[in-house]
Amino acid sequence: MRKRILYTVLDWGLGHATRSIPVIRAWLASGCEVVIASDSMALEFLKSEFPHLPAYKLSSYNVQYTSDRLWINVARNWRKVFSAIRKEHEDIENLILKERITAIVSDNRYG
């Protein structure tokens, strides 16, 4: 049975998505099936790089950086992030069943 990997990517810019390209290519070359999931620019970028792969939109964390101090940004955004993580858990559970996922790899998606 071929591995079916759900690969999720954080969308806080395109760094996580761009570094995913060689990883996804290596899995495909080794015979794995890959399903991608993210949101916003990262999802659109990966869909453009891998238009043949199933792709799903996950809830956005909607983090906003309003200060140069990390702890202030964390304090202002923690409720949004935890709410998105709870929703993401539900979405992932549904994707596991729908897509027959055998492994999950996350590039900094907390859910």
Side-chain angles (χ1 to χ4, degrees):
M1 182 174 160
R2 292 172 60 170
K3 285 196 177 195
R4 192 152 172 88
I5 300 169
L6 174 62
Y7 188 67
T8 65
V9 182
L10 183 66
D11 178 42
W12 289 356
L14 288 178
H16 296 279
T18 56
R19 73 178 177 205
S20 300
I21 293 170
V23 173
I24 294 171
R25 286 184 180 150
W27 284 328
L28 294 172
S30 71
C32 295
E33 297 175 351
V34 179
V35 175
I36 55 177
S38 187
D39 63 292
S40 200
M41 290 187 311
L43 180 61
E44 293 307 314
F45 176 78
L46 289 174
K47 283 168 54 176
S48 71
E49 288 292 317
F50 302 100
H52 60 288
L53 297 181
Y56 292 91
K57 184 174 183 351
L58 297 174
S59 298
S60 176
Y61 294 167
N62 291 320
V63 171
Q64 297 175 351
Y65 297 98
T66 57
S67 172
D68 291 339
R69 296 186 178 166
L70 177 63
W71 69 271
I72 291 173
N73 292 316
V74 170
R76 288 184 177 155
N77 288 286
W78 74 270
R79 283 190 177 128
K80 288 191 289 187
V81 171
F82 282 106
S83 177
I85 289 171
R86 280 195 301 273
K87 173 74 171 103
E88 192 173 34
H89 275 275
E90 294 171 18
D91 294 342
I92 295 298
E93 288 294 328
N94 291 330
L95 282 176
I96 289 169
L97 296 173
K98 179 179 181 177
E99 290 288 340
R100 302 173 327 277
I101 300 299
T102 59
I104 301 172
V105 177
S106 173
D107 186 341
N108 287 304
R109 294 278 321 191
Y110 303 115

